[in-house]
Amino acid sequence: MSEATNPETPLVNWVLNGQPVQSPAGMTIFEAAKALETTIPNFCYHPGLTIAGNCRICMVESNRSKKPVISCSERIAEGLEIQTESPMAIEARNAVMEFQLINHPLDCPVCDKAGECDLQDYSYDHGPDRSRFDEEKNIRHTKELGPTIDIWGNRCIVCTRCVRFCDEISGTGELCVVERGDRSVVDVFPTVPIDNPLAGNVVDICPVGALISNDFKFEARIWNMRKTDSVCAGCARGCNVEVQSLDGFVKRLVPRENMEVNKWWMCDEGRYDYRYLLADERVTACTKDGEPVEDHDAHETLAHWLQDPGGTLGILVDPYITCEEAFLVEQIASHANNALVGGWKPADGTAQSFPGQFTISGEKAPNRLGVEAVLGKLVFGSQGHALRTALEKGQVSTLIVFAGFPHPDPDDAWVQAIRKAKRRAVFALQAGAWTEGAGLVIPGASPFEKDGTYANEDGRLQRVRSFHAPGDVEWSHDLQRLQAVLRIAGLRPRSLSSSAVFRELADVKKPFHGLSHSTLPATGAPLPGFIPLPVGVEGGSV
Amino acid sequence: MSDLKFSEKGMKKYEWLLTRYPDKQAVLLPALRIAEAEFGELGIPEMKYVADLMGISPARVYGVVTFYTHFRRAGTGTFHIQVCSTLSCALRGSQELADHIAKRLGIEMGETTEDGMFSVSKVECLGSCDTAPMFQLNDNYHENLTLDDVDRIIEDCKKESARGGAR
Ligand code: SF4
Ligand code: SF4
Ligand code: FES
Ligand code: FES
């Protein structure tokens, strides 16, 4: 809220639960209390949406009113005294919960929201343990609202968060509340399903299990999943996500709040794009001349190639490698007598902006800026051209390719060029045109399996983490493999964690000075001295 | 769907309404009234037409139309009986009235007769509490009702329909 962040906003003296406190004028009781670490229950309030004030669960006791007031819309004022846990406040919330639960099916055991459901939580805190309601519960529709979203109407508490999201954030307005009273429920216009690039967010913000994602329906219980903070690699926006997985399989991605990047949202394209992890084409084992080999054999072979490249060593990177991996690439190149490092990146798409000030970047890869910060701002530009020309002229003897893109883009010119190298090692996510005929193919890690940092289109450095459990060696990521190779080749003494590699990087690369994994805030930090240029401008950085 | 259009007169009225309210959205209710008068009912094409005309999402229109009981939704019978079931009417026997109507027409509350002649629904207070019990038949109030009145009114409707009168 602007009132809260503007240092010129005057402070208001008020009393919260008996404690005299000060807060910037203009804040709501709810927000001011939250800033003071007092949380008040809420359903319809969402920091990213307009205030609706319809659920009444946020009621508190006020010295200015005989009846409890709703804290999400009432503003603080000089001399206001608020009790959030007084008998009156608690009784008010208990009463709201009793009403909320009258028609609620209480089908938590089969509800996908159970475990992260506000209604469930408040029901434990405030709900009566039995119902005084003797009538029959009413029935509301369960149906598809669009290709990715179902509604289980009986669970809807009509908070209108989802409706406001479509009106205010995506600007597409597909949702509405139909009927009234106890029959009211969320619906779409009969011929206009909810189908917009941000639709998935309504499932996240539904405080109950009324809106259900088809993709996640019945996939896992919330509390069983492993939750890993990482970053979406779908585009250069770098939305902060939580990767939720079970037994080594990603079950869903949900956005994490980061006001500098994605606020509370993410796009559907990024959200649902994780199935490639299990694609049939996924490279799962090392091969040498088409035959499966042990990891160590593959690493050893590559190490020998590096010790004796037999002429020019070429390294083709993509914008999916982490800054740490880029740093090792540079080490490899610096040890070779004759090395050419160049980059390939997927074609730009079109950027999309939404009324809720959310943007999907037109640049469809996560770390161009980060790779440029390590390997030079022309790595995807003229350096890439130079590498390709050398390849086309047959001047490259040994080539290492990083093909970590989730959706192989048959870029013909490059595919033809890399085949001209005398020998080729490919770190590949998927088998295809880039791996065909390669002497060595090494399984590449997907962005969700890497450990390191990406820099988004604003030059904000953010941590990516592997969703696999520690010690789960099945998917050693490229950073570990590269270090294994470098160790065998005698170029690095031992393998280190990505945090340690980052420390080395931060010591020698100016844009990273002063940064470290451990001090990087959860919301990332801008690379100092990095000036992002528009997408499509060559070397749009430094 | 595409050839729906307000008449010149309807359009004039709509445009005049736009000048009467500070906010375009506020014109939705009267605009729906015009649509109802011109098109006879508010079905999917009609709601879509109003939404496009006003530049708002069809879902918004749908929400408003379904919120109220007084709009003629698609599929409503020629004669729509809306029985008030709120307090004054309830105290004065609206339940009996509703049961009687349902029995006479052979349908449940909220249903339409097979021939499409009658629809009957229970609604909340129609602001005519002093003359309870009452119902609204299409655009007219029928007040201080007895069961005999109901029989007579239903017969009148049938006769009117036989004469070719609609509403
Ligand atoms: S579907 Fe969920 S978010 Fe939408 S109104 Fe109902 S409870 Fe609220
Ligand atoms: S906007 Fe980009 S980074 Fe954000 S979720 Fe979508 S694809 Fe991922
Ligand atoms: S959160 Fe305050 S009324 Fe819903
Ligand atoms: S209670 Fe029936 S008209 Fe008011």
Side-chain angles (χ1 to χ4, degrees), chain A residues 232 234-235 237-239 266-267 270 358-360:
Chain A
C232 172
C235 77
R237 185 89 289 257
C239 291
M266 73 184 292
C267 79
F358 180 86
T359 307
I360 302 175

Side-chain angles (χ1 to χ4, degrees), chain A residues 167 172-180 183 187-192, chain B residues 1 44 47-48 57-60 62-64 66-69 73 124:
Chain A
D167 287 348
T172 45
E174 298 105 323
L175 296 182
C176 63
V177 175
V178 290
E179 303 291 340
R180 69 166 123 159
R183 298 181 310 282
D187 203 351
V188 289
F189 191 72
T191 55
V192 188
Chain B
M1 181 174 300
I44 293 173
M47 289 189 275
K48 182 83 171 54
S57 86
R60 163 65 54 114
Y62 188 49
V64 168
T66 56
F67 178 85
Y68 294 101
T69 48
R73 300 192 202 172
E124 302 303 331

Side-chain angles (χ1 to χ4, degrees), chain A residues 153-366:
Chain A
N154 289 342
R155 298 177 185 152
C156 175
I157 59 165
V158 204
C159 69
T160 71
R161 272 187 185 182
C162 56
V163 177
R164 280 174 284 146
F165 180 90
C166 291
D167 287 348
E168 297 163 15
I169 309 298
S170 67
T172 45
E174 298 105 323
L175 296 182
C176 63
V177 175
V178 290
E179 303 291 340
R180 69 166 123 159
D182 65 350
R183 298 181 310 282
S184 50
V185 66
V186 163
D187 203 351
V188 289
F189 191 72
T191 55
V192 188
I194 175 168
D195 189 8
N196 69 66
L198 304 184
N201 292 294
V202 299
V203 176
D204 301 332
I205 61 174
C206 179
V208 298
L211 295 177
I212 292 291
S213 149
N214 266 321
D215 189 69
F216 179 66
K217 186 162 62 187
F218 303 141
E219 278 291 324
R221 307 271 47 192
I222 306 291
W223 53 90
N224 286 335
M225 289 190 291
R226 189 181 153 77
K227 293 165 186 156
T228 311
D229 287 355
S230 197
V231 164
C232 172
C235 77
R237 185 89 289 257
C239 291
N240 291 208
V241 296
E242 190 172 274
V243 183
Q244 302 190 343
S245 60
L246 184 64
D247 301 333
F249 295 100
V250 173
K251 292 294 179 185
R252 68 168 179 179
L253 305 178
V254 291
R256 274 187 300 130
E257 176 181 335
N258 185 339
M259 294 311 286
E260 305 296 328
V261 178
N262 55 309
K263 305 206 168 65
W264 306 267
W265 326 120
M266 73 184 292
C267 79
D268 281 11
E269 207 178 314
R271 182 189 297 267
Y272 299 126
D273 191 21
Y274 58 86
R275 302 246 183 249
Y276 66 82
L277 290 168
L278 299 172
D280 289 346
E281 298 76 27
R282 186 81 200 260
V283 176
T284 53
C286 296
T287 56
K288 187 170 160 184
D289 300 323
E291 296 300 319
V293 289
E294 292 293 323
D295 282 9
H296 184 75
D297 292 345
H299 297 164
E300 212 163 44
T301 307
L302 184 53
H304 291 323
W305 289 9
L306 293 184
Q307 281 164 333
D308 180 13
T312 300
L313 170 69
I315 306 179
L316 175 59
V317 298
D318 65 19
Y320 293 88
I321 63 171
T322 60
C323 298
E324 293 76 1
E325 287 160 5
F327 179 65
L328 294 187
V329 163
E330 199 197 47
Q331 283 199 339
I332 294 175
S334 67
H335 282 102
N337 289 334
N338 216 342
L340 278 174
V341 179
W344 169 90
K345 66 190 187 77
D348 285 341
T350 21
Q352 265 180 293
S353 291
F354 299 87
Q357 293 173 341
F358 180 86
T359 307
I360 302 175
S361 175
E363 179 165 11
K364 298 300 173 195

Side-chain angles (χ1 to χ4, degrees), chain B residues 1-166:
Chain B
M1 181 174 300
S2 47
D3 44 1
L4 272 183
K5 205 171 178 316
F6 280 176
S7 68
E8 210 171 298
K9 196 168 143 238
M11 195 56 93
K12 271 230 171 75
K13 183 155 183 214
Y14 169 70
E15 274 156 11
W16 172 77
L17 284 167
L18 286 179
T19 66
R20 301 259 303 150
Y21 293 88
D23 178 353
K24 196 174 177 189
Q25 298 237 355
V27 181
L28 179 54
L29 280 179
L32 285 168
R33 277 276 171 249
I34 302 175
E36 203 179 22
E38 299 226 330
F39 308 138
E41 63 178 21
L42 296 176
I44 293 173
E46 292 81 14
M47 289 189 275
K48 182 83 171 54
Y49 172 76
V50 173
D52 291 348
L53 179 71
M54 295 189 61
I56 58 180
S57 86
R60 163 65 54 114
V61 177
Y62 188 49
V64 168
V65 168
T66 56
F67 178 85
Y68 294 101
T69 48
H70 57 61
F71 286 119
R72 279 183 76 82
R73 300 192 202 172
T76 308
T78 316
F79 300 101
H80 186 192
I81 303 174
Q82 303 182 58
V83 187
C84 172
S85 57
T86 310
L87 191 61
S88 305
C89 291
L91 289 172
R92 303 263 297 153
S94 67
Q95 185 61 48
E96 212 185 328
L97 205 69
D99 290 345
H100 184 73
I101 298 169
K103 201 163 135 216
R104 266 210 64 125
L105 298 176
I107 51 175
E108 299 279 329
M109 282 292 133
E111 291 182 351
T112 301
T113 53
E114 249 171 46
D115 58 4
M117 197 183 296
F118 290 99
S119 292
V120 55
S121 42
K122 251 188 187 178
V123 299
E124 302 303 331
C125 182
L126 290 167
S128 190
C129 318
D130 56 330
T131 57
M134 59 81 66
F135 64 54
Q136 179 178 346
L137 172 64
N138 290 350
D139 285 338
N140 298 315
Y141 278 12
H142 294 263
E143 298 152 299
N144 291 314
L145 290 170
T146 63
L147 299 189
D148 289 343
D149 291 340
V150 171
D151 292 343
R152 184 178 44 75
I153 295 166
I154 289 179
E155 283 316 310
D156 286 351
C157 289
K158 288 186 179 163
K159 277 185 213 146
E160 192 185 332
S161 163
R163 280 203 309 273

